[in-house]
Amino acid sequence: MAKKIVAGNWKMNKNLQEGIELAQGLKDALAADKPNCEVIICTPFIHLAKVSDLLDHKTIKLGAENCADKASGAYTGEVSAEMVKSTGAEYVILGHSERREYYNETPAILKEKVDLALANGLKVIFCIGESLKQREANEQEAVCKAELEGSVFHLSAEQFANIVIAYEPIWAIGTGKTATAEQAEEIHSYIRSVIAKKYGDKVAADTSILYGGSCKASNAPELFAKPDIDGGLIGGASLKVADFKGIIDAWK
Ligand code: PGA
């Protein structure tokens, strides 16, 4: 059975003090009312060490939003997978559409990042999903399959156990436009079938496939009720304790 997960992606929001306040607020809320799923917060690099110190890692796991495609050395401004891991983080988001689009992260670059993350003991939340144009051309399945083949299907089944997939239709990210639960389930079930073809039914059943894109407390219960939706990757609604907690509670 795939693990149920609600993961937050803070993106480029919150200064250090605000981030600590948010993490502390979430910690307090979940200490008072235990979650029924794995909860992860993925923060900007600068928050990781301090937030790691304050969290109870049994209840809230920590992740980064990116890591470098090089192991170490003269790459000014970059942060390696090893550095991320040394903060106490357990996860890293890779392949987010914003990084593919605005920072020209190609499948080959993402493959390097995935390999370095796994080699340094991080788990990867790997994002895939089509643009509006691709959805209108009914290319969503081909896009998702190609993104998996391009950056994670070279892994062994053993390595693939450390990959969480996040299906995030680009047209639904930050737009307030959510995929319907039926639309999401259709592609989630397709993604699981592609994983099954590559790694077998057991690995596919054990892989958590998260939905992302304007997920909020009001639509999470319907999305999470679908058999192939194992949780959510949450942007905007992860920036306030009450909003994020509302989504976590959808698993209750
Ligand atoms: P959103 O972002 O929830 O703000 O749509 C999701 C994401 O990009 O991970």
Side-chain angles (χ1 to χ4, degrees):
M1 269 288 281
K3 208 188 283 174
K4 307 305 177 200
I5 297 174
V6 173
N9 172 11
W10 290 5
K11 308 194 179 183
M12 197 171 75
N13 294 293
K14 305 285 177 192
N15 66 29
L16 181 58
Q17 290 73 30
E18 292 164 346
I20 289 170
E21 202 178 308
L22 175 56
Q24 183 67 51
L26 187 67
K27 180 191 174 184
D28 294 344
L30 297 187
D33 184 16
K34 290 256 173 279
N36 241 348
C37 61
E38 180 162 308
V39 175
I40 308 167
I41 51 176
C42 298
T43 79
F45 292 130
I46 65 128
H47 298 74
L48 290 174
K50 286 234 167 175
V51 168
S52 180
D53 282 348
L54 77 81
L55 287 182
D56 164 12
H57 290 247
K58 280 204 284 294
T59 309
I60 306 176
K61 316 269 185 211
L62 182 64
E65 299 173 15
N66 183 26
C67 70
D69 62 341
K70 303 286 192 298
S72 68
Y75 301 101
T76 303
E78 288 294 297
V79 175
S80 70
E82 186 193 354
M83 292 171 184
V84 168
K85 177 74 179 178
S86 73
T87 65
E90 289 173 57
Y91 283 89
V92 60
I93 297 173
L94 293 174
H96 195 282
S97 58
E98 287 153 14
R99 298 223 47 101
R100 291 180 193 262
E101 185 180 349
Y102 306 143
Y103 301 96
N104 304 314
E105 294 194 357
T106 62
I109 290 172
L110 290 170
K111 190 173 169 200
E112 296 296 324
K113 294 189 176 199
V114 166
D115 286 344
L116 284 163
L118 296 183
N120 284 284
L122 292 168
K123 296 188 179 108
V124 174
I125 300 174
F126 189 74
C127 304
I128 58 176
E130 79 286 355
S131 66
L132 182 59
K133 209 168 140 222
Q134 290 164 331
R135 165 67 64 165
E136 284 168 353
N138 202 30
E139 289 168 0
Q140 61 273 15
E141 292 189 352
V143 169
C144 289
K145 184 161 183 265
E147 288 181 339
L148 291 169
E149 287 172 347
S151 307
V152 292
F153 272 6
H154 65 289
L155 300 173
S156 68
E158 204 171 70
Q159 289 174 312
F160 194 81
N162 295 303
I163 305 286
V164 170
I165 301 296
Y167 167 67
E168 300 205 306
I170 298 169
W171 47 272
I173 296 176
T175 57
K177 210 172 151 185
T178 325
T180 64
E182 289 68 32
Q183 269 175 329
E185 169 59 21
E186 195 180 11
I187 186 102
H188 276 236
S189 138
Y190 171 75
I191 292 163
R192 202 178 300 283
S193 76
V194 171
I195 296 170
K197 217 177 231 169
K198 173 75 188 168
Y199 293 108
D201 289 342
K202 162 98 174 70
V203 171
D206 288 347
T207 301
S208 299
I209 307 178
L210 313 183
Y211 169 79
S214 299
C215 183
K216 37 191 184 288
S218 57
N219 57 27
E222 202 190 340
L223 286 160
F224 296 178
K226 294 292 180 194
D228 289 299
I229 302 181
D230 302 307
L233 179 58
I234 318 298
S238 71
L239 296 174
K240 284 195 186 134
V241 174
D243 294 351
F244 195 51
K245 170 90 169 33
I247 298 171
I248 292 165
D249 287 346
W251 281 119
K252 294 200 163 164

